[in-house]
């Protein structure tokens, strides 16, 4: 996103019109469309998309810590929700949107700034006309699992898309 000259913001409906979910995600990755401000706030970025898959990378910073001195669960949850939702987005036809209906997160290992970059890899399990499900994992460069999650998303016709 950043390499393509992308900036944080919200895409105008005209920029999205006629694009499939995968085309929207590819345009965001290339910097043609703005990326969400939350990525800047929590220091993570989209690094890869394909049909049914989205990969984000981030490194927890001191500003993301909980009072115990580790990455806050909300940082993990947001990174996972982004990978899950964007993976679902890549499967949607033009004029279709989604929203997270259920999110289940399991954190299995603490992370810190010195942990280094972590990747959230989201994969769609099912994408239908009304519901989509996906799962994601956060892994370190060494392949260690830090967290995993699943989601159910509602799929709907989006009038503005």
């Amino acid at each position: 996103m950043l390499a393509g000259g992308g900036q944080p913001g919200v895409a105008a409906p005209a920029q999205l019109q006629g694009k499939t979910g995968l085309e929207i995600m590819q345009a965001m990755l290339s910097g043609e469309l703005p990326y969400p401000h939350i990525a800047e706030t929590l220091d993570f970025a989209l690094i890869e998309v394909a049909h049914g898959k989205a990969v984000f990378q981030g490194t927890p910073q001191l500003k993301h810590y909980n009072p115990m001195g580790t990455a806050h669960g909300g940082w993990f949850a947001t990174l996972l929700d982004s990978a899950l939702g964007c993976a679902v987005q890549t499967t949607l036809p033009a004029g279709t949107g989604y929203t997270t209906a259920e999110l289940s997160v399991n954190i299995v290992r603490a992370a810190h700034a010195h942990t280094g970059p972590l990747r959230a890899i989201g994969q769609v399990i099912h994408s239908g006309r009304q519901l989509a499900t996906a799962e994601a994992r956060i892994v370190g460069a060494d392949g260690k699992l830090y967290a995993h999650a699943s989601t159910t998303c509602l799929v709907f016709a989006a009038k503005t898309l």
Side-chain angles (χ1 to χ4, degrees):
M1 295 182 316
L2 299 174
Q7 297 292 320
V10 178
Q15 292 177 289
L16 305 176
Q17 193 162 4
K19 286 185 169 67
T20 67
L22 180 58
E23 290 169 337
I24 290 169
M25 296 307 302
Q26 290 170 331
M28 192 181 304
L29 185 60
S30 72
E32 177 188 332
L33 289 175
Y35 60 86
H37 287 277
I38 193 73
E40 190 173 63
T41 301
L42 295 181
D43 295 315
F44 63 78
L46 178 68
I47 62 167
E48 180 186 337
V49 293
H51 183 79
K53 181 180 181 180
V55 181
F56 282 79
Q57 182 168 298
T59 303
Q61 303 297 313
L62 182 60
K63 65 184 176 180
H64 305 133
Y65 281 17
N66 60 32
M68 282 74 67
T70 61
H72 191 281
W75 186 85
F76 284 103
T78 305
L79 187 59
L80 287 162
D81 188 44
S82 297
L84 291 161
C86 289
V88 167
Q89 176 77 32
T90 67
T91 67
L92 301 180
T96 307
Y98 76 94
T99 190
T100 301
E102 177 272 333
L103 175 66
S104 175
V105 175
N106 296 282
I107 301 166
V108 299
R109 179 175 278 113
H112 311 84
H114 65 270
T115 301
L118 298 173
R119 287 195 176 177
I121 304 161
Q123 292 277 156
V124 170
I125 298 169
H126 167 78
S127 184
R129 289 183 306 128
Q130 296 180 327
L131 290 176
T133 57
E135 57 190 11
R137 294 172 165 247
I138 293 180
V139 296
D142 57 1
K144 283 185 183 175
L145 179 67
Y146 283 80
H148 56 97
S150 61
T151 193
T152 300
C153 294
L154 298 175
V155 176
F156 53 86
K159 294 179 184 176
T160 59
L161 297 177

